[in-house]
Amino acid sequence: MPTLGIDLGGTNARAAVVDEQGRILSSAKLPLAERSPAAVVEVIALAAAEALSEARVEVRGCGVGAAGQIHRDSGVLAVAPNLGWRNVPLGAMLTERLGHPVRVVNDLAAAAWGELNAGAGRGAQDVYVAFVGSGVGSCIIANSQLVRGAGGVAGELGHTKVIPGGRLCGCGERGCLEAYAGGHNLIAQARELLSAGRSPELARLTGGDPATLNPVTLELAAEAGDPAAREIHERAGQMLGMGIANMITVLNPARLILGGGVLMNCPGLRRYVEEGVRALSSTVSREHLSINMAELGDDSGLIGAALLV
Ligand SMILES: [Zn+2]
């Protein structure tokens, strides 16, 4: 029987009816005009109703992938920075509103589960998924099971420390990988160069307007030979490559799946990661490793949330 998948981001809620093979039968996307928990639950319910009426099938439950840290098994969003939420019992609220059992997981876990079952991870049992978008996240799948950890936050690659006492991260701690290599922080570092007048190439590419900066601009400036841009780009690439290589050494997966907007759109950074994994993971841990790009794009979380039910 099909299930309902919900992808809750910071600006939109998407809902889809998904069959057991991970095919989307119908979908709907609605903007979040207001971010109070009650208003967001209402928008999710409207998107779900739209998807359900288009598919005209019964569903047996609902899975939600939400950006944030989720208390294991409780469906409570402990911290959701995009929505400005703390300790919101989203699972219970949605169960009551939708009249279906609802399971809430982290958006990256949902995306990884989607890729495992309907995308680049099909056929593998031990998979490591690393996504670099605005943040840096990863998910461990061992023996076809999501590894969640005692508190439900296993796999937080972005908050592994790379420089003790280093740059301040969005999580409130210092020296995290994400503070150097996440999309938001790549842009922040490029802005610092621009405002200090240290990067003629970035100034040229942006026409001096910091609002046009993105990770691709930084990569273009680095590849054009701008020394300051290159330093930031190379450092981010090397840190990502080493961080992911170390995870391969520890976990010995059969497949590494790379995704997220930054790795999808910045081939230079992707190359650092692939070369880093080949050069720095232990020889025995990568003997059976294949490296694949994520296949489901923006739909991975939606499909994965539905398949987790
Ligand atoms: Zn952090």
mmCIF file of all heavy atoms in Angstrom, residues 148-183:
data_model
loop_
_atom_site.group_PDB
_atom_site.id
_atom_site.type_symbol
_atom_site.label_atom_id
_atom_site.label_comp_id
_atom_site.label_asym_id
_atom_site.label_seq_id
_atom_site.Cartn_x
_atom_site.Cartn_y
_atom_site.Cartn_z
ATOM 1 N N ARG A 148 21.390 5.313 14.077
ATOM 2 C CA ARG A 148 20.854 6.562 14.616
ATOM 3 C C ARG A 148 21.580 7.043 15.852
ATOM 4 O O ARG A 148 21.581 8.221 16.148
ATOM 5 C CB ARG A 148 19.370 6.370 14.909
ATOM 6 C CG ARG A 148 18.599 6.029 13.616
ATOM 7 C CD ARG A 148 17.229 5.507 13.902
ATOM 8 N NE ARG A 148 16.411 6.546 14.468
ATOM 9 C CZ ARG A 148 15.292 6.320 15.151
ATOM 10 N NH1 ARG A 148 14.895 5.081 15.355
ATOM 11 N NH2 ARG A 148 14.599 7.306 15.634
ATOM 12 N N GLY A 149 22.179 6.144 16.592
ATOM 13 C CA GLY A 149 22.886 6.560 17.800
ATOM 14 C C GLY A 149 21.954 6.653 18.990
ATOM 15 O O GLY A 149 20.731 6.697 18.825
ATOM 16 N N ALA A 150 22.537 6.726 20.194
ATOM 17 C CA ALA A 150 21.742 6.712 21.429
ATOM 18 C C ALA A 150 20.778 7.886 21.482
ATOM 19 O O ALA A 150 19.647 7.764 21.946
ATOM 20 C CB ALA A 150 22.685 6.747 22.635
ATOM 21 N N GLY A 151 21.214 9.041 21.005
ATOM 22 C CA GLY A 151 20.357 10.227 21.058
ATOM 23 C C GLY A 151 19.738 10.558 19.711
ATOM 24 O O GLY A 151 19.058 11.578 19.570
ATOM 25 N N GLY A 152 19.990 9.721 18.695
ATOM 26 C CA GLY A 152 19.400 9.964 17.378
ATOM 27 C C GLY A 152 20.190 10.921 16.496
ATOM 28 O O GLY A 152 19.701 11.346 15.459
ATOM 29 N N VAL A 153 21.416 11.271 16.880
ATOM 30 C CA VAL A 153 22.172 12.243 16.075
ATOM 31 C C VAL A 153 23.495 11.675 15.541
ATOM 32 O O VAL A 153 24.450 12.410 15.307
ATOM 33 C CB VAL A 153 22.424 13.560 16.856
ATOM 34 C CG1 VAL A 153 21.135 14.292 17.099
ATOM 35 C CG2 VAL A 153 23.137 13.296 18.185
ATOM 36 N N ALA A 154 23.536 10.353 15.304
ATOM 37 C CA ALA A 154 24.739 9.762 14.699
ATOM 38 C C ALA A 154 24.935 10.332 13.296
ATOM 39 O O ALA A 154 23.981 10.731 12.641
ATOM 40 C CB ALA A 154 24.591 8.246 14.629
ATOM 41 N N GLY A 155 26.188 10.366 12.832
ATOM 42 C CA GLY A 155 26.466 10.767 11.454
ATOM 43 C C GLY A 155 26.644 12.256 11.246
ATOM 44 O O GLY A 155 26.716 12.711 10.106
ATOM 45 N N GLU A 156 26.743 13.030 12.315
ATOM 46 C CA GLU A 156 26.869 14.490 12.156
ATOM 47 C C GLU A 156 28.283 14.878 11.715
ATOM 48 O O GLU A 156 29.032 15.527 12.451
ATOM 49 C CB GLU A 156 26.503 15.208 13.460
ATOM 50 C CG GLU A 156 25.022 15.144 13.796
ATOM 51 C CD GLU A 156 24.224 16.267 13.125
ATOM 52 O OE1 GLU A 156 24.792 16.972 12.258
ATOM 53 O OE2 GLU A 156 23.043 16.426 13.454
ATOM 54 N N LEU A 157 28.620 14.508 10.487
ATOM 55 C CA LEU A 157 29.949 14.806 9.937
ATOM 56 C C LEU A 157 30.272 16.296 10.015
ATOM 57 O O LEU A 157 31.407 16.676 10.289
ATOM 58 C CB LEU A 157 29.989 14.339 8.472
ATOM 59 C CG LEU A 157 31.263 14.659 7.701
ATOM 60 C CD1 LEU A 157 32.412 13.815 8.214
ATOM 61 C CD2 LEU A 157 31.068 14.430 6.203
ATOM 62 N N GLY A 158 29.283 17.144 9.766
ATOM 63 C CA GLY A 158 29.513 18.590 9.724
ATOM 64 C C GLY A 158 30.017 19.153 11.032
ATOM 65 O O GLY A 158 30.655 20.204 11.048
ATOM 66 N N HIS A 159 29.735 18.460 12.128
ATOM 67 C CA HIS A 159 30.151 18.994 13.426
ATOM 68 C C HIS A 159 31.312 18.208 14.033
ATOM 69 O O HIS A 159 31.603 18.344 15.224
ATOM 70 C CB HIS A 159 28.948 19.100 14.365
ATOM 71 C CG HIS A 159 27.872 19.917 13.712
ATOM 72 N ND1 HIS A 159 28.015 21.272 13.495
ATOM 73 C CD2 HIS A 159 26.709 19.555 13.136
ATOM 74 C CE1 HIS A 159 26.957 21.718 12.820
ATOM 75 N NE2 HIS A 159 26.161 20.699 12.596
ATOM 76 N N THR A 160 31.987 17.397 13.210
ATOM 77 C CA THR A 160 33.278 16.869 13.637
ATOM 78 C C THR A 160 34.250 18.051 13.599
ATOM 79 O O THR A 160 34.118 18.955 12.774
ATOM 80 C CB THR A 160 33.785 15.747 12.706
ATOM 81 O OG1 THR A 160 33.821 16.238 11.365
ATOM 82 C CG2 THR A 160 32.869 14.534 12.744
ATOM 83 N N LYS A 161 35.200 18.060 14.514
ATOM 84 C CA LYS A 161 36.107 19.196 14.623
ATOM 85 C C LYS A 161 37.311 19.016 13.707
ATOM 86 O O LYS A 161 37.883 17.928 13.636
ATOM 87 C CB LYS A 161 36.576 19.373 16.071
ATOM 88 C CG LYS A 161 35.417 19.565 17.069
ATOM 89 C CD LYS A 161 34.600 20.816 16.767
ATOM 90 C CE LYS A 161 33.453 21.014 17.734
ATOM 91 N NZ LYS A 161 32.264 20.195 17.404
ATOM 92 N N VAL A 162 37.647 20.080 12.997
ATOM 93 C CA VAL A 162 38.825 20.023 12.131
ATOM 94 C C VAL A 162 39.913 20.986 12.601
ATOM 95 O O VAL A 162 41.085 20.786 12.317
ATOM 96 C CB VAL A 162 38.462 20.275 10.650
ATOM 97 C CG1 VAL A 162 37.706 19.083 10.077
ATOM 98 C CG2 VAL A 162 37.634 21.546 10.475
ATOM 99 N N ILE A 163 39.534 22.051 13.301
ATOM 100 C CA ILE A 163 40.527 22.980 13.867
ATOM 101 C C ILE A 163 40.069 23.364 15.273
ATOM 102 O O ILE A 163 39.106 24.111 15.422
ATOM 103 C CB ILE A 163 40.683 24.242 12.985
ATOM 104 C CG1 ILE A 163 41.223 23.842 11.615
ATOM 105 C CG2 ILE A 163 41.603 25.257 13.676
ATOM 106 C CD1 ILE A 163 41.642 24.993 10.739
ATOM 107 N N PRO A 164 40.722 22.806 16.310
ATOM 108 C CA PRO A 164 40.297 23.132 17.672
ATOM 109 C C PRO A 164 40.293 24.650 17.893
ATOM 110 O O PRO A 164 41.252 25.340 17.556
ATOM 111 C CB PRO A 164 41.371 22.447 18.540
ATOM 112 C CG PRO A 164 41.914 21.356 17.676
ATOM 113 C CD PRO A 164 41.845 21.869 16.264
ATOM 114 N N GLY A 165 39.168 25.159 18.401
ATOM 115 C CA GLY A 165 39.073 26.593 18.667
ATOM 116 C C GLY A 165 38.932 27.448 17.417
ATOM 117 O O GLY A 165 39.079 28.665 17.471
ATOM 118 N N GLY A 166 38.637 26.830 16.271
ATOM 119 C CA GLY A 166 38.592 27.550 14.989
ATOM 120 C C GLY A 166 37.319 28.368 14.783
ATOM 121 O O GLY A 166 36.713 28.843 15.748
ATOM 122 N N ARG A 167 36.891 28.493 13.523
ATOM 123 C CA ARG A 167 35.733 29.341 13.180
ATOM 124 C C ARG A 167 34.491 28.901 13.942
ATOM 125 O O ARG A 167 34.273 27.713 14.165
ATOM 126 C CB ARG A 167 35.422 29.235 11.676
ATOM 127 C CG ARG A 167 36.363 29.974 10.778
ATOM 128 C CD ARG A 167 35.984 29.788 9.311
ATOM 129 N NE ARG A 167 34.752 30.493 8.973
ATOM 130 C CZ ARG A 167 34.686 31.772 8.594
ATOM 131 N NH1 ARG A 167 35.785 32.488 8.481
ATOM 132 N NH2 ARG A 167 33.524 32.313 8.298
ATOM 133 N N LEU A 168 33.661 29.885 14.254
ATOM 134 C CA LEU A 168 32.410 29.607 14.971
ATOM 135 C C LEU A 168 31.413 28.978 13.990
ATOM 136 O O LEU A 168 31.219 29.451 12.874
ATOM 137 C CB LEU A 168 31.843 30.916 15.536
ATOM 138 C CG LEU A 168 30.579 30.779 16.377
ATOM 139 C CD1 LEU A 168 30.840 29.941 17.629
ATOM 140 C CD2 LEU A 168 30.053 32.170 16.774
ATOM 141 N N CYS A 169 30.772 27.888 14.432
ATOM 142 C CA CYS A 169 29.818 27.154 13.596
ATOM 143 C C CYS A 169 28.391 27.539 14.008
ATOM 144 O O CYS A 169 28.158 28.004 15.125
ATOM 145 C CB CYS A 169 30.055 25.660 13.809
ATOM 146 S SG CYS A 169 28.962 24.572 12.897
ATOM 147 N N GLY A 170 27.436 27.309 13.116
ATOM 148 C CA GLY A 170 26.027 27.590 13.414
ATOM 149 C C GLY A 170 25.499 26.802 14.603
ATOM 150 O O GLY A 170 24.499 27.182 15.215
ATOM 151 N N CYS A 171 26.169 25.705 14.968
ATOM 152 C CA CYS A 171 25.729 24.886 16.101
ATOM 153 C C CYS A 171 26.141 25.500 17.428
ATOM 154 O O CYS A 171 25.773 25.003 18.487
ATOM 155 C CB CYS A 171 26.289 23.472 15.986
ATOM 156 S SG CYS A 171 28.062 23.368 16.290
ATOM 157 N N GLY A 172 26.962 26.574 17.375
ATOM 158 C CA GLY A 172 27.401 27.225 18.606
ATOM 159 C C GLY A 172 28.790 26.786 19.056
ATOM 160 O O GLY A 172 29.351 27.369 19.981
ATOM 161 N N GLU A 173 29.339 25.745 18.400
ATOM 162 C CA GLU A 173 30.681 25.284 18.779
ATOM 163 C C GLU A 173 31.707 25.825 17.771
ATOM 164 O O GLU A 173 31.331 26.359 16.738
ATOM 165 C CB GLU A 173 30.692 23.746 18.829
ATOM 166 C CG GLU A 173 29.769 23.234 19.927
ATOM 167 C CD GLU A 173 29.575 21.715 19.923
ATOM 168 O OE1 GLU A 173 30.344 21.004 19.276
ATOM 169 O OE2 GLU A 173 28.630 21.271 20.596
ATOM 170 N N ARG A 174 32.967 25.649 18.079
ATOM 171 C CA ARG A 174 34.027 26.178 17.215
ATOM 172 C C ARG A 174 34.812 25.070 16.521
ATOM 173 O O ARG A 174 35.010 24.008 17.078
ATOM 174 C CB ARG A 174 35.015 27.014 18.043
ATOM 175 C CG ARG A 174 34.467 28.350 18.422
ATOM 176 C CD ARG A 174 35.528 29.265 19.039
ATOM 177 N NE ARG A 174 34.922 30.564 19.266
ATOM 178 C CZ ARG A 174 34.826 31.525 18.335
ATOM 179 N NH1 ARG A 174 35.343 31.324 17.132
ATOM 180 N NH2 ARG A 174 34.216 32.659 18.611
ATOM 181 N N GLY A 175 35.261 25.400 15.291
ATOM 182 C CA GLY A 175 36.192 24.514 14.596
ATOM 183 C C GLY A 175 35.556 23.344 13.880
ATOM 184 O O GLY A 175 36.234 22.396 13.504
ATOM 185 N N CYS A 176 34.221 23.385 13.666
ATOM 186 C CA CYS A 176 33.542 22.288 12.960
ATOM 187 C C CYS A 176 33.873 22.304 11.464
ATOM 188 O O CYS A 176 34.070 23.375 10.877
ATOM 189 C CB CYS A 176 32.027 22.428 13.082
ATOM 190 S SG CYS A 176 31.389 22.332 14.756
ATOM 191 N N LEU A 177 33.830 21.126 10.845
ATOM 192 C CA LEU A 177 34.013 21.012 9.396
ATOM 193 C C LEU A 177 33.043 21.927 8.641
ATOM 194 O O LEU A 177 33.410 22.595 7.675
ATOM 195 C CB LEU A 177 33.801 19.539 8.985
ATOM 196 C CG LEU A 177 33.812 19.221 7.492
ATOM 197 C CD1 LEU A 177 35.127 19.622 6.837
ATOM 198 C CD2 LEU A 177 33.556 17.724 7.270
ATOM 199 N N GLU A 178 31.791 21.958 9.099
ATOM 200 C CA GLU A 178 30.772 22.779 8.429
ATOM 201 C C GLU A 178 31.132 24.264 8.426
ATOM 202 O O GLU A 178 30.772 24.998 7.508
ATOM 203 C CB GLU A 178 29.422 22.557 9.125
ATOM 204 C CG GLU A 178 28.283 23.317 8.493
ATOM 205 C CD GLU A 178 26.931 22.872 9.037
ATOM 206 O OE1 GLU A 178 26.621 21.663 8.912
ATOM 207 O OE2 GLU A 178 26.204 23.703 9.577
ATOM 208 N N ALA A 179 31.849 24.719 9.451
ATOM 209 C CA ALA A 179 32.210 26.135 9.537
ATOM 210 C C ALA A 179 33.208 26.530 8.442
ATOM 211 O O ALA A 179 33.381 27.709 8.143
ATOM 212 C CB ALA A 179 32.784 26.452 10.912
ATOM 213 N N TYR A 180 33.869 25.532 7.821
ATOM 214 C CA TYR A 180 34.821 25.800 6.732
ATOM 215 C C TYR A 180 34.274 25.371 5.367
ATOM 216 O O TYR A 180 34.618 25.968 4.353
ATOM 217 C CB TYR A 180 36.144 25.046 6.994
ATOM 218 C CG TYR A 180 36.835 25.554 8.227
ATOM 219 C CD1 TYR A 180 36.575 24.989 9.471
ATOM 220 C CD2 TYR A 180 37.698 26.642 8.153
ATOM 221 C CE1 TYR A 180 37.169 25.488 10.615
ATOM 222 C CE2 TYR A 180 38.302 27.144 9.301
ATOM 223 C CZ TYR A 180 38.028 26.572 10.523
ATOM 224 O OH TYR A 180 38.606 27.072 11.660
ATOM 225 N N ALA A 181 33.436 24.339 5.349
ATOM 226 C CA ALA A 181 33.102 23.724 4.065
ATOM 227 C C ALA A 181 31.612 23.688 3.745
ATOM 228 O O ALA A 181 31.233 23.287 2.653
ATOM 229 C CB ALA A 181 33.665 22.298 4.027
ATOM 230 N N GLY A 182 30.744 24.099 4.660
ATOM 231 C CA GLY A 182 29.316 24.166 4.341
ATOM 232 C C GLY A 182 29.037 25.347 3.420
ATOM 233 O O GLY A 182 29.769 26.338 3.435
ATOM 234 N N GLY A 183 27.995 25.263 2.608
ATOM 235 C CA GLY A 183 27.696 26.315 1.631
ATOM 236 C C GLY A 183 27.556 27.698 2.263
ATOM 237 O O GLY A 183 28.139 28.677 1.777
#
